[in-house]
Amino acid sequence: MNISRLYLVIGSLYLIVGIVLGMYMGGKQDFTLAPVHAHINLLGFTLMTLFGIAYRVMPHMADNMLAKVQFWAHQIGGLVLLIGLFLLMSGRMPESTAAMVMPLSEMLVFVGMAAWAVNLFRNA
Ligand code: HEM
Ligand code: HEM
């Protein structure tokens, strides 16, 4: 599994989705989903591209369990968080469901970031 390439490629897909949503919001002049757009671009594209470049510059950091934990936590947590945010802000998910789903996805994203930080402290 080439973590650097996966981050870069998946990040580019988030960028396409994020930009399309931005263009849609601009066209409709409806900015309700601006936070969804912002986090698709930032959590999806910007952070993943940063991780992809970092793992390319420091490839020894990609060969351990921390990098794998970070990768899967960010992928699953990020995707659930963004879909959840979209459903919540577009009125398709009741707040009671969001109150259960969102903290779980946020914790996963947090676990990914913590694994990234520990990996950096140990191996960067
Ligand atoms: C063609 C590309 C893009 C279009 C058409 C677009 C469009 C928009 C629109 C219409 C808004 C809402 C503005 C408002 O609420 O008044 C917005 C907000 C935002 N966009 Fe984009 N965007 C694009 C690309 C990006 C990219 C690449 C990023 C980040 C990497 C980004 C980050 C943000 C952020 C963080 C906000 C929220 C700003 C705030 O709430 O103050 N956008 N964008
Ligand atoms: C688990 C991860 C995250 C959670 C739970 C989270 C949560 C939030 C919340 C609740 C807001 C306020 C939205 C509003 O005013 O309606 C916000 C805004 C914002 N966050 Fe995050 N965030 C996360 C990750 C990030 C990351 C990684 C970045 C940047 C790389 C980021 C950048 C921003 C920006 C620029 C705004 C202002 C944009 C706007 O108001 O639409 N966030 N975030």
Side-chain angles (χ1 to χ4, degrees):
M1 161 172 170
N2 184 336
I3 284 188
S4 165
R5 179 180 153 78
L6 281 172
Y7 273 127
L8 292 170
V9 171
I10 296 170
S12 76
L13 300 179
Y14 276 99
L15 178 63
I16 291 169
V17 175
I19 284 182
V20 168
L21 182 56
M23 288 160 46
Y24 173 80
M25 289 190 312
K28 277 225 154 194
Q29 289 294 298
D30 176 357
F31 308 120
T32 316
L33 295 178
V36 184
H37 159 80
H39 288 88
I40 289 175
N41 279 319
L42 294 170
L43 211 57
F45 165 67
T46 310
L47 274 192
M48 285 203 218
T49 302
L50 190 90
F51 294 146
I53 294 171
Y55 282 116
R56 184 86 32 130
V57 174
M58 300 173 282
H60 60 285
M61 277 185 56
D63 287 337
N64 59 38
M65 189 49 79
L66 285 168
K68 289 194 177 63
V69 168
Q70 183 211 346
F71 180 80
W72 289 113
H74 193 78
Q75 297 308 323
I76 299 168
L79 188 64
V80 174
L81 183 94
L82 293 171
I83 293 174
L85 198 57
F86 171 76
L87 293 175
L88 180 68
M89 301 208 70
S90 59
R92 292 178 171 88
M93 177 163 69
E95 289 202 8
S96 53
T97 311
M100 289 187 299
V101 175
M102 301 306 279
L104 285 176
S105 63
E106 286 165 21
M107 278 313 294
L108 260 184
V109 172
F110 178 79
V111 165
M113 301 298 177
W116 164 244
V118 175
N119 202 358
L120 281 177
F121 272 100
R122 285 195 188 161
N123 301 312

